[in-house]
Amino acid sequence: MTIHAGRARAITMWDFSWLERRWPGAGYEDWDVALAELAERGYDTVRIDAYPHLIDVDPQRTWTLPPLWTQMSWGAQSTIRIQILPQLLDFLRACARHGIGVALSSWFRRDVDDVRMRLDTPQRLAEAWISTLDAIDDAGLLDAIVYVDLCNEFPMPVWSPFVYGTDEAESIGVDHPRIGRWMRESIEIVRAAYPGLDYTFSFSDELDKMVAGDVSAFDLVEPHLWMAGVTDYYDLIGYNYERFDPVGFDNVVARGLEVYRADQSRFDGAILDAIDTIADWSRRVGKPVATTECWSIIDYKDWPGLEWDWVKELNEKAVVHAASTGRWTAIATSNFCGPQFVEMWRDIEYHRRLTDVILSAPIDEDLR
């Protein structure tokens, strides 16, 4: 498969949830059920964590992972034990049964030994990905892969601490020459081993830095875009990405909807303008766009006092706008399109309406 398919893909992010949320009621305990429901909603691609750093050390070890957070609904909210192979291969086979393509990424989850810190050069990052692709290729499943995102939201320290030596460093912008070298060199090494795949690093940075990054080695760009990320919305409601403290979501409950409705045209306009900025960047660099985390609020969940209607409304406006640009070849409807987000997931008609827009989106001639 390839991202350059002459049509847009309806993609969703299942991150590390596909493997870590398999207890009864967590949403992914039966992959065939979850994937059948995904296809029913009109999606044809899923982006997941392949855990390349763990595969590179020992793919069949049972790894112990502390929780990344307790307040968000992605992954597990307590310590969990997982094995990467053969589960990754089994999941790819399940995707194939349901006609779902797979984009590989990694959030580089910390295990109790923190082996991700071994990936302290572009060469070592590339080697971990080559080990992962070798395992997939040996199983005859390479055709299932749509593209490879070498690191989620690079170079944020929470996801790529090996660049800094710690996950508490101040982030370097994607426009920094050192980051450009990391991206270019690691992609070139992986591409030499697997030239038939498409490669990128996903970004979640200030827009001006994002569009100034060196993407010369990329086959596509993957910006993550939210209204809450391109405005002062979170400052106004008092949300600071509290991963282990409920105060952040308490503030979203108390002020989130009120603040949005009070200045809705400004907030809506900001995400639509950001989409236009990315479309212009795509035209300038000649790369297609995939967005798998988007469009309204960054963190949300089923919770007392949290309403989904406004989130869904803004997501729909953004999907329609992105689809109209001719630059997106993979579009998500939000980063809440998974079975653990029950209120969002059960609105099948909503998903079908948006995926119909995505799957019929025009693609500019230079990207076909």
Side-chain angles (χ1 to χ4, degrees), residues 18-163:
W18 72 273
L19 184 58
E20 296 184 28
R21 294 188 62 90
R22 303 207 70 199
W23 65 89
Y28 302 86
E29 57 269 39
D30 186 324
W31 290 328
D32 280 300
V33 170
L35 289 164
E37 292 177 350
L38 186 68
E40 178 187 14
R41 286 154 178 76
Y43 298 88
D44 60 6
T45 313
V46 63
R47 174 173 169 258
I48 65 166
D49 195 331
Y51 303 88
H53 57 308
L54 304 184
I55 288 178
D56 191 47
V57 174
D58 185 348
Q60 296 182 336
R61 180 192 299 185
T62 297
W63 296 89
T64 301
L65 309 183
L68 180 60
W69 42 51
T70 59
Q71 298 304 303
M72 292 73 169
S73 297
W74 300 285
Q77 287 68 50
S78 60
T79 298
I80 193 166
R81 290 166 62 80
I82 60 171
Q83 185 184 46
I84 315 304
L85 296 186
Q87 281 80 352
L88 175 61
L89 305 178
D90 291 340
F91 183 79
L92 294 178
R93 293 185 185 101
C95 287
R97 288 194 295 273
H98 295 275
I100 305 293
V102 180
L104 299 179
S105 183
S106 189
W107 286 249
F108 292 98
R109 290 278 281 116
R110 180 173 66 88
D111 73 289
V112 292
D113 297 318
D114 212 3
V115 301
R116 62 188 178 162
M117 301 306 288
R118 299 169 61 253
L119 309 181
D120 57 357
T121 67
Q123 173 77 33
R124 289 175 178 156
L125 175 62
E127 289 170 352
W129 273 110
I130 291 170
S131 294
T132 302
L133 295 173
D134 284 345
I136 294 170
D137 192 25
D138 289 345
L141 294 167
L142 207 60
D143 285 347
I145 307 307
V146 177
Y147 68 88
V148 180
D149 165 24
L150 272 68
C151 182
N152 176 64
E153 296 178 351
F154 195 71
M156 292 178 64
V158 66
W159 311 128
S160 55
F162 42 82
V163 172

Side-chain angles (χ1 to χ4, degrees), residues 256-265 267 309-310 313:
L257 179 57
E258 176 186 359
V259 166
Y260 172 71
R261 292 299 189 200
D263 205 357
Q264 180 175 343
S265 61
F267 290 129
D309 287 351
W310 74 272
E313 290 168 7

